[in-house]
Amino acid sequence: MIVTIDGPAGAGKSTVARMLAQKLDFDFLDTGAMYRCVVLQGRRQKVDWKDEDGLAQIANELVLEFDGTLVLLDGEDVGSEIRSPEVTALIHYAADNLKVREAMVALQRKLASEDDVVTEGRDQGTVAFPEAECKIFLSASAEERARRRVEQMRQAGQDVTTEEILEQQNLRDRQDEAREVGGLKAAADALHVITDGMRPFEVVEHLERLVRIRR
Ligand code: DC
């Protein structure tokens, strides 16, 4: 069975998708991490960001593994490095590159062919798995998403204001929504879940019920 969870940055997708996969005993696919690894590898290989074919070649040669909560690039745990602001700022070079997207979707389909999977991203229900048995579009208001992000960053010792986070978030929403191929969009048959005021475990319980009805 394939469960897709799409939605904007900061909707809590990764947290709840990972928890849901664990509850259902499904594999978990963090597809944002894949695009982030392409960028990290591009930085390491000092790619010319305007060279679309060069970046596509990096995407095609990526040696990527997911091991529980770990993201391994060439066997190295890159979980925190791929979420750095430097990688996030360059992510559009990977996400806007059609050949990179083709490589990522092929990899996602290969990984999902091996087992039941919860897969999380922007285009999982629309492009990667249009036949998925259960599609969720997870969202929350811009203010709630920014508030959660600020809380998370302050807990990690970073000094940020809600205004700057909202500004970055609005920019990423616009980039994700404007992308012609693989842009952020709910599939016509997706179930919309808005998580304002809900704790992660409440969201997971709700999603679990939605999945079990379709199993
Ligand atoms: O979910 P995330 O913030 O880690 O994703 C990082 C970026 O990767 C996001 O801004 C857009 C891109 N992305 C994508 O284009 N398609 C996906 N399926 C997942 C992520």
Side-chain angles (χ1 to χ4, degrees):
M1 180 180 194
I2 295 177
V3 178
T4 63
I5 303 186
D6 292 304
K13 294 188 307 287
S14 298
T15 310
V16 300
R18 188 171 274 125
M19 285 163 72
L20 180 67
Q22 223 166 32
K23 270 197 146 184
L24 296 167
D25 199 22
F26 283 18
D27 282 351
F28 168 62
L29 223 53
D30 175 352
T31 66
M34 295 181 175
Y35 288 89
R36 290 174 179 278
C37 282
V38 173
V39 171
L40 180 61
Q41 195 73 317
R43 270 169 67 87
R44 287 181 173 181
Q45 296 188 8
K46 300 198 174 14
V47 73
D48 170 1
W49 293 106
K50 291 188 205 87
D51 175 10
E52 295 194 358
D53 287 340
L55 194 63
Q57 191 177 340
I58 286 176
N60 278 302
E61 290 171 355
L62 216 57
V63 180
L64 201 58
E65 277 170 275
F66 290 93
D67 182 3
T69 57
L70 298 182
V71 182
L72 305 173
L73 177 62
D74 287 327
E76 177 194 342
D77 175 9
V78 292
S80 45
E81 211 176 332
I82 57 171
R83 293 195 173 79
S84 68
E86 291 79 12
V87 168
T88 304
L90 293 166
I91 202 83
H92 62 100
Y93 287 108
D96 290 342
N97 181 319
L98 292 187
K99 289 182 186 160
V100 170
R101 297 206 74 88
E102 265 175 37
M104 295 299 98
V105 169
L107 182 58
Q108 289 152 16
R109 290 183 181 152
K110 179 169 171 281
L111 291 170
S113 68
E114 291 160 10
D115 218 332
D116 292 324
V117 69
V118 174
T119 176
E120 173 257 301
R122 306 289 188 288
D123 60 345
Q124 297 301 283
T126 49
V127 177
F129 303 104
E131 310 297 331
E133 292 91 336
C134 183
K135 300 180 187 177
I136 313 277
F137 193 78
L138 199 71
S139 192
S141 65
E143 293 71 25
E144 170 92 3
R145 290 189 281 133
R147 193 190 55 71
R148 289 179 192 163
R149 182 89 186 116
V150 168
E151 203 174 275
Q152 213 177 38
M153 293 181 80
R154 287 194 181 146
Q155 269 172 11
Q158 284 165 281
D159 186 23
V160 288
T161 66
T162 309
E163 290 67 36
E164 61 185 312
I165 293 297
L166 249 175
E167 200 177 309
Q168 290 166 9
Q169 185 179 276
N170 287 339
L171 172 67
R172 201 130 76 93
D173 283 356
R174 282 200 299 277
Q175 287 176 340
D176 286 353
E177 283 163 5
R179 192 163 296 122
E180 271 176 38
V181 176
L184 172 65
K185 200 169 101 194
D189 52 349
L191 305 159
H192 289 248
V193 177
I194 296 168
T195 65
D196 282 58
M198 286 170 88
R199 309 253 288 274
F201 81 91
E202 293 172 311
V203 179
V204 173
E205 278 179 3
H206 182 60
L207 298 188
E208 195 185 0
R209 276 196 296 276
L210 296 177
V211 173
R212 293 207 187 275
I213 293 169
R214 277 158 188 81
R215 253 185 130 176

